[in-house]
Amino acid sequence: MSEAAPQTIYLADYTPYGFTIDSVDLHFDLKPHQTRVKSRIAFRPNPQAIDRTFFLHGENLTLIGATIDGAVVSPDVTPQGLTCDVPDAPFVWEAEVEIDPKGNTALEGLYMSNGMYCTQCEAEGFRKITYYPDRPDVMAVFTVTINGSHPVLLSNGNPISVESNQAIWHDPWPKPSYLFALVAGDLVAHSDSFTTMSGRKVALNLYVRPGDEGKCAFGMEALKRSMKWDEDEYGREYDLDLFNIVAVDDFNMGAMENKGLNIFNSSAVLASPETSTDMNFERIEAIIAHEYFHNWTGNRITCRDWFQLCLKEGLTVFRDSQFTSDMRSAPVKRISDVIDLRARQFAEDQGPLAHPVRPESFQEINNFYTATVYEKGAEVIGMLKLLVGDKAYSDALDLYFDRHDGQACTIEDWLRVFEDTTGRDLTQFKRWYSQAGTPHLSVTEDWQHGTLTLKFRQHTPASAATPAPQPQVMPIAVGLIGQDGDEVEETRILEMTEAEQSFVFDDLGTRPIASVLRGFSAPVVLKQQLSDADRAHLLAYDTDPFNRWEQGRMLAFGSLLAMIREGTSPNPDWLAGVRSVISDESLDPAFRALVLGLPSQSDLARELADAGDTPDPDIIYAAVEATRSAMAKSYEDLVPTLYRRHTVNAGYEPDAEQSGKRSLANAALSLLTRNDDAKAAQKQYDNADNMTQQLSALANLIRAGRGSKAVQGFENQWKNDRLVMDKWFGLQVMEADPEDAHEVVQTLTKHPDFNWKNPNRFRAVFGSFAAHHAGFHHASGVGYQLLADWLIKLDPLNPQTTARMCAAFQTWRRYDADRQALMKAEIDRILAQPDLSRDTTEMLTRIQRA
């Protein structure tokens, strides 16, 4: 079975560490296989602690020697760390260890990526660097000396001295070990500066490998916009003399907010019009903002323990969403966030991986970097802001920063600042942090003599994580749209606290249509009985962009589900409603592109399963394809004009205006391709001067069965650009015919550039395959077997990536008995592997027990 029986850790068992740390001095002598790390740490007893056991975490370390106050000691060493007798007074611990960065394929701790040394310490990677109390509530000031034969030697904080083959760094701000960072390599800097609101000049550097200098400008501008926005909106000024970002090719996540030295997956920072799509640019802008915003919401104020992960991540995701909304289109950003939330977090909430925003227990913390912690955590912040109002939210944040700067905090600390600011009791609101599951909110209407009564009922399905859910506080944003299309009641926030609750709207002339849950004001499943005519009316006239899009989505759902269940044709009323929106030139092109989108095939499968039906991936795929063909036919007169009108011929800019036009033009192209034998797509591919246009055209050519020449040409053009080749690998899988998808994957894994040890390349192929609903769920089970084979191969080298990819199996009970048996067999086969990692063992055990 597993490498070791996973140990369950409980929030209720938290106790303070027995010692506090006054200072940490680290000395690195870098060598690929024999790096020496010397630590000198000043400890003193913690008067708040009950247990004074001196335990230091440590994994995969060779202890050379240790002393206490200069006297040699012989600690008791285990694979998890060491213990030692220590004085009941302040003392200095010194130790020397040896580690193997080049052999570290797990990409945790100190490792090497293409000859460059780099670190990833969140959540528990620092214990693979040296012996240390590797927990977030132990904060200290670090001084770091790096010896190495590399032109660039970086760590946290400010440089004390930089000489040939040696650099000394000092970070004046106390931090936990998970925020430690070190980078050493042959790198070049794209440099700039930022002047803070108090007039301090901060040096900015974006370090990249030689050859990538031309992909830095956008990231640097995004950083400066983030710094300015955080000052303007939150009053947060940067607090060091410089801010460094480093691009790394081999990285398990998107980026890491280490204090003053952010380390980024190359895909999350490098961008140019020729190699990056509009979506890449927007993602990069958001991730740079997210990691920078962590400087205050995560670094200056951090988590007491890992159960509080949402304290920093939910708040920072909310902040980066605000930033993107301000930089781009707020309605489009909101709709995009909800699409992502429903696809990832709702699936999590409704399956075996369900857990509260703040879990009560875990075995492997790496498995809790989830959509629930991040995206649902952000939704909880958004609800809180709606409930208290903008002014109270701002005041509470100011109090939060003033009261808790330099501390490791809890959700209770966070909520208390709102209680102290507003006088509200947030005991019930706290259930959003402690209960798992997505609440179901139903609404019924009663119309009597000019009075509309909306009766709401909330219910959260019970789960193993939350056996007896209680009613939660919900801000429900409601407006009323008249039969003439006018708004007769502007948005009102209804505060629901009971299992059932009614709200009354008086003095209405004629019966309006209720626009409920505007802006998706709470992360719930809304059940509102509206006729297709009422939904079409809201699609045409609702003043809330989210709800306008939502009604189109609900009409599409109804049409597709009828096709799947009854073999009907697409709903003509829905087709007509979409036509009215996409032809309205007064509307944002990016919004119209979203209206042209369809629910995902996995969303349709979930909807069928929730209704008690057994989803058939092949029938779902056929219904979606038939709908797309019907749309192409229905809008045959319109899409050529849409395509021409919104094709951008000016010089490329990754801004909201141009990006919105391209998104609509390319949505039109996907329909046009079904009518013109891919002629427009071929022309766009041949003439494209940016990656957005080239990749969209290539996708349409592949989909139309006309892509073989372009696929080869694309490879020849971009074979030396690793990030573009990730796109090439992924696109072929995503656009494959379901019958052939597994064969496409098998062929790509034999390609000489398929470096399966690189997380980006592995995800490009197998992440795309898992997302290919009908292809992955091929009735033969070949997709399940193929993914399992590669997860078994990857796990010994990179448990984090393996465990996260296991989520592809989380819906195994949703499908028919044959598919269930096939998936279950592969889950069991992986779990039967000797020395399976803790990460993968925990993830699959939870899935298996669903």
Side-chain angles (χ1 to χ4, degrees):
M1 286 291 290
S2 65
E3 61 185 19
Q7 177 185 2
T8 301
I9 300 169
Y10 296 93
L11 170 61
D13 292 341
Y14 170 83
T15 57
Y17 185 58
F19 303 85
T20 59
I21 297 177
D22 293 322
S23 64
V24 178
D25 288 270
L26 299 177
H27 189 288
F28 289 81
D29 288 313
L30 298 177
K31 293 182 180 178
H33 289 291
Q34 296 174 312
T35 287
R36 290 289 181 99
V37 184
K38 297 178 182 178
S39 59
R40 188 178 190 275
I41 307 170
F43 288 96
R44 55 187 165 87
N46 180 1
Q48 305 299 319
I50 298 173
D51 183 359
R52 293 281 178 80
T53 302
F54 183 71
F55 173 76
L56 303 181
H57 296 98
E59 295 180 9
N60 304 327
L61 307 175
T62 300
L63 179 62
I64 306 301
T67 66
I68 293 178
D69 291 335
V72 175
V73 294
S74 298
D76 294 325
V77 179
T78 72
Q80 288 75 46
L82 62 77
T83 56
C84 189
D85 293 331
V86 298
D88 188 19
F91 64 92
V92 175
W93 162 270
E94 294 182 84
E96 183 175 9
V97 301
E98 186 173 278
I99 56 177
D100 180 6
K102 194 166 186 178
N104 181 2
T105 60
L107 313 184
E108 286 184 287
L110 179 66
Y111 65 94
M112 298 192 74
S113 172
N114 295 324
M116 176 174 67
Y117 293 88
C118 59
T119 56
Q120 172 53 35
C121 293
E122 187 176 359
E124 296 177 341
F126 192 77
R127 63 191 62 185
K128 296 183 178 181
I129 294 175
T130 192
Y131 288 103
Y132 194 81
D134 190 13
R135 42 189 286 171
D137 59 340
V138 178
M139 302 174 72
V141 172
F142 280 64
T143 302
V144 179
T145 300
I146 310 170
N147 290 334
S149 57
H150 299 275
V152 173
L153 303 169
L154 305 173
S155 191
N156 309 87
N158 298 317
I160 300 301
S161 70
V162 177
E163 302 174 1
S164 177
N165 298 330
Q166 186 184 81
I168 302 175
W169 291 80
H170 177 73
D171 185 355
W173 300 103
K175 65 174 178 285
S177 54
Y178 82 85
L179 291 173
F180 171 78
L182 180 151
V183 170
D186 181 11
L187 301 168
V188 292
H190 178 91
S191 300
D192 206 327
S193 65
F194 178 82
T195 302
T196 70
M197 58 187 181
S198 68
R200 289 188 307 106
K201 188 173 182 179
V202 179
L204 309 176
N205 298 295
L206 204 170
Y207 286 94
V208 297
R209 297 194 316 174
D212 286 336
E213 299 94 325
K215 300 178 182 179
C216 297
F218 181 81
M220 182 61 74
E221 290 305 310
L223 173 60
K224 292 195 292 184
R225 286 194 296 272
S226 303
M227 298 176 80
K228 181 68 165 59
W229 185 90
D230 210 18
E231 290 183 345
D232 292 344
E233 298 299 320
Y234 281 83
R236 298 300 101 196
E237 183 176 353
Y238 187 62
D239 53 5
L240 291 169
D241 297 335
L242 81 168
F243 187 89
N244 290 326
I245 292 176
V246 179
V248 177
D249 288 344
D250 300 284
F251 205 68
N252 282 329
M253 299 187 289
M256 180 60 209
E257 71 267 18
N258 318 294
K259 183 71 178 181
L261 177 56
N262 285 190
I263 299 180
F264 274 64
N265 188 315
S266 297
S267 68
V269 68
L270 300 181
S272 71
E274 298 78 19
T275 61
S276 306
T277 65
D278 290 335
M279 290 181 65
N280 294 148
F281 278 103
E282 183 173 339
R283 175 176 179 261
I284 287 167
E285 182 178 61
I287 293 177
I288 286 175
H290 180 96
E291 304 308 331
Y292 175 75
F293 297 157
H294 264 314
N295 187 61
W296 277 93
T297 51
N299 296 3
R300 287 285 287 264
I301 304 176
T302 192
C303 304
R304 186 196 71 177
D305 52 70
W306 289 120
F307 296 100
Q308 320 297 329
L309 181 59
C310 60
L311 177 69
K312 74 182 184 79
E313 294 301 347
L315 177 55
T316 307
V317 169
F318 178 71
R319 278 159 37 79
D320 81 51
S321 293
Q322 288 182 295
F323 171 77
T324 299
S325 296
D326 287 350
M327 295 300 108
R328 294 175 181 268
S329 164
V332 169
K333 172 60 175 170
R334 186 60 185 144
I335 294 167
S336 300
D337 283 349
V338 174
I339 291 172
D340 183 60
L341 183 81
R342 286 168 167 165
R344 297 172 58 237
Q345 197 282 317
F346 278 22
E348 216 165 70
D349 252 352
Q350 296 170 11
L353 301 181
H355 63 87
V357 173
R358 182 174 68 177
E360 296 293 322
S361 66
F362 62 78
Q363 293 178 348
E364 176 51 65
I365 184 57
N366 289 328
N367 290 336
F368 279 87
Y369 282 74
T370 62
T372 297
V373 168
Y374 280 68
E375 276 71 38
K376 188 173 181 178
E379 294 294 321
V380 173
I381 305 295
M383 285 190 291
L384 187 55
K385 185 172 185 287
L386 270 179
L387 289 169
V388 304
D390 293 349
K391 175 65 165 58
Y393 173 82
S394 178
D395 291 344
L397 265 291
D398 287 343
L399 177 59
Y400 179 64
F401 294 127
D402 290 343
R403 179 182 289 177
H404 296 296
D405 187 13
Q407 297 179 9
C409 296
T410 65
I411 292 302
E412 286 75 15
D413 296 322
W414 162 252
L415 293 178
R416 193 171 297 116
V417 300
F418 282 86
E419 291 181 325
D420 292 347
T421 300
T422 65
R424 293 178 61 117
D425 182 350
L426 295 176
T427 302
Q428 185 183 10
F429 184 82
K430 188 180 171 184
R431 290 174 186 166
W432 281 105
Y433 287 102
S434 61
Q435 293 190 168
T438 302
H440 289 230
L441 179 67
S442 62
V443 55
T444 56
E445 300 181 13
D446 180 64
W447 171 254
Q448 297 283 344
H449 311 298
T451 297
L452 178 68
T453 301
L454 298 180
K455 182 177 181 179
F456 292 92
R457 181 178 182 273
Q458 61 166 298
H459 166 70
T460 302
S463 65
T466 305
Q470 299 298 307
Q472 294 170 261
V473 182
M474 293 182 187
I476 306 170
V478 174
L480 302 179
I481 302 297
Q483 297 296 332
D484 60 358
D486 290 339
E487 185 174 58
V488 298
E489 178 78 31
E490 294 183 354
T491 300
R492 183 196 302 181
I493 303 298
L494 311 179
E495 185 171 336
M496 186 176 186
T497 58
E498 307 296 332
E500 295 186 7
Q501 203 164 341
S502 296
F503 300 89
V504 177
F505 296 81
D506 292 316
D507 301 324
L508 301 171
T510 57
R511 181 169 185 165
I513 301 174
S515 172
V516 178
L517 207 67
R518 286 184 155 188
F520 200 66
S521 57
V524 302
V525 174
L526 176 65
K527 300 295 183 183
Q528 182 182 13
Q529 296 302 318
L530 291 176
S531 67
D532 283 356
D534 284 346
R535 293 195 186 280
H537 189 76
L538 291 175
L539 174 61
Y541 298 111
D542 203 329
T543 56
D544 179 70
F546 172 82
N547 257 12
R548 194 171 186 182
W549 168 83
E550 177 79 325
Q551 299 314 316
R553 174 181 173 274
M554 294 304 296
L555 286 168
F557 253 117
S559 177
L560 282 159
L561 292 174
M563 294 172 70
I564 292 165
R565 289 168 171 150
E566 304 161 22
T568 59
S569 299
N571 183 341
D573 291 336
W574 166 65
L575 290 170
V578 171
R579 169 184 279 273
S580 69
V581 172
I582 63 175
S583 58
D584 185 348
E585 287 297 324
S586 69
L587 297 175
D588 180 358
F591 173 78
R592 287 187 278 163
L594 287 171
V595 171
L596 273 173
L598 295 177
S600 73
Q601 293 173 50
S602 60
D603 281 348
L604 289 163
R606 184 175 67 246
E607 190 78 12
L608 288 163
D610 287 348
D613 298 328
T614 301
D616 185 318
D618 297 325
I619 295 175
I620 292 172
Y621 175 81
V624 169
E625 283 299 296
T627 298
R628 286 175 175 152
S629 293
M631 293 171 72
K633 182 67 175 175
S634 180
Y635 310 141
E636 190 171 14
D637 61 319
L638 180 59
V639 291
T641 302
L642 276 179
Y643 177 65
R644 287 194 302 270
R645 182 172 290 164
H646 295 281
T647 295
V648 179
N649 296 313
Y652 180 90
E653 292 292 340
D655 56 25
E657 181 181 0
Q658 279 200 15
S659 297
K661 290 180 179 179
R662 279 188 291 269
S663 65
L664 182 56
N666 284 324
L669 179 64
S670 68
L671 299 177
L672 183 59
T673 299
R674 292 173 182 264
N675 296 331
D676 74 346
D677 200 28
K679 291 176 183 172
Q682 185 65 60
K683 182 178 180 181
Q684 178 169 307
Y685 181 83
D686 292 339
N687 297 330
D689 63 355
N690 63 78
M691 184 53 62
T692 304
Q693 298 302 85
Q694 188 176 18
L695 203 68
S696 174
L698 180 59
N700 280 287
L701 290 171
I702 295 172
R703 206 176 298 137
R706 299 281 192 269
S708 56
K709 182 178 178 181
V711 166
Q712 185 61 58
F714 192 95
E715 179 187 7
N716 292 340
Q717 180 181 0
W718 296 111
K719 60 186 176 183
N720 294 321
D721 190 303
R722 59 207 179 279
L723 297 180
V724 177
M725 285 301 289
D726 287 337
K727 296 178 175 65
W728 180 84
F729 275 94
L731 188 67
Q732 292 178 78
V733 178
M734 288 187 291
E735 300 299 341
D737 183 274
E739 285 297 316
D740 304 330
H742 64 278
E743 294 178 358
V744 171
V745 171
Q746 288 173 324
T747 299
L748 290 172
T749 60
K750 297 172 184 175
H751 191 282
D753 286 337
F754 178 65
N755 176 12
W756 59 277
K757 298 178 184 179
N758 176 269
N760 287 351
R761 190 58 48 88
F762 190 90
R763 286 189 290 256
V765 173
F766 286 101
S768 300
F769 185 44
H772 192 309
H773 188 252
F776 179 62
H777 292 289
H778 193 279
S780 67
V782 65
Y784 311 143
Q785 181 181 352
L786 181 57
L787 178 60
D789 286 345
W790 280 92
L791 294 180
I792 289 169
K793 184 175 182 179
L794 182 65
D795 183 71
L797 278 74
N798 191 328
Q800 274 194 44
T801 299
T802 305
R804 288 170 185 168
M805 287 297 303
C806 288
F809 292 112
Q810 70 176 312
T811 59
W812 69 279
R813 288 196 182 274
R814 177 183 291 171
Y815 298 93
D816 57 83
D818 289 343
R819 285 185 172 91
Q820 284 189 36
L822 291 166
M823 276 191 271
K824 175 71 161 49
E826 297 306 324
I827 293 169
D828 292 344
R829 180 163 70 94
I830 300 171
L831 281 170
Q833 298 302 307
D835 299 322
L836 194 69
S837 69
R838 293 191 307 268
D839 305 59
T840 302
T841 297
E842 182 196 18
M843 186 70 89
L844 284 180
T845 300
R846 291 165 64 198
I847 291 172
Q848 181 192 53
R849 293 174 179 169

